[in-house]
Amino acid sequence: MSAEDKLKELGLTLPDVPTPVATYVSFKQVGDIVYLSGQGPKRADGTYPTGKVGKDVTIEEAYEHAKQTGLGLLAAMKKATGSLDKVEVIKLLGMVNGAPDFADQPKVINGCSDLFVAVLGERGRHARSAVGMGSLPNNMTVEIEVIIKVLP
């Protein structure tokens, strides 16, 4: 089953790739490796879920935010490669805007990781770091960046 068919089966649609708001690009390709800029859980109206995970936002809500961020990253992957069937996820860095004592970053970033595996299968499995941050742009709950390999 193609990645596009898997998305449809899951009832998911890819959002538009966000336009960079500063001096950077959405992705940069070097050989067969593509570096995707960090994204957050942007809503259709352009706003972001905000707050500190573990204080203002639950782990379950933040998991969904990471999943939404993953959809945006899949959209960028598709734009960069032309097809999600040509994508292998290599590395993911997940950043969580957590309360000072919050220590469940991996549970939050699983929202994105689980999505990648659900859509891409084994090509979605990746090395990963999930870290806490004192703050993130726009006070959003999560930001995730990814490195992918373009398959022939």
Side-chain angles (χ1 to χ4, degrees):
M1 177 181 295
S2 75
E4 294 287 335
D5 289 339
K6 192 63 178 174
L7 281 167
K8 288 178 189 169
E9 181 182 273
L10 294 169
L12 300 172
T13 56
L14 297 179
D16 292 333
V17 177
T19 302
V21 296
T23 310
Y24 65 92
V25 293
S26 298
F27 57 86
K28 183 78 170 186
Q29 185 164 351
V30 179
D32 62 354
I33 301 296
V34 179
Y35 299 83
L36 302 176
S37 292
Q39 289 191 33
K42 193 171 190 177
R43 296 181 181 120
D45 67 2
T47 64
Y48 294 89
T50 60
K52 296 285 186 187
V53 180
K55 178 184 171 206
D56 312 311
V57 178
T58 67
I59 291 172
E60 295 77 16
E61 290 169 324
Y63 175 98
E64 292 300 321
H65 299 166
K67 182 177 178 181
Q68 179 64 38
T69 302
L71 285 171
L73 289 162
L74 286 169
M77 290 177 205
K78 182 177 177 184
K79 184 175 181 180
T81 65
S83 170
L84 289 176
D85 295 323
K86 296 172 58 175
V87 169
E88 180 180 356
V89 182
I90 304 298
K91 177 75 164 86
L92 182 152
L93 170 61
M95 297 162 275
V96 178
N97 184 7
D101 61 345
F102 184 73
D104 285 322
Q105 295 86 355
K107 290 180 182 176
V108 171
I109 301 305
N110 281 346
C112 184
S113 294
D114 292 347
L115 174 69
F116 287 176
V117 172
V119 173
L120 301 172
E122 286 303 308
R123 292 181 294 106
R125 293 198 184 277
H126 49 270
R128 183 179 93 174
S129 298
V131 298
M133 300 298 207
S135 66
L136 288 171
N138 301 308
N139 196 34
M140 62 186 161
T141 53
V142 299
E143 181 174 358
I144 302 171
E145 66 177 49
V146 177
I147 301 170
I148 63 171
K149 180 178 181 178
V150 182
L151 303 173

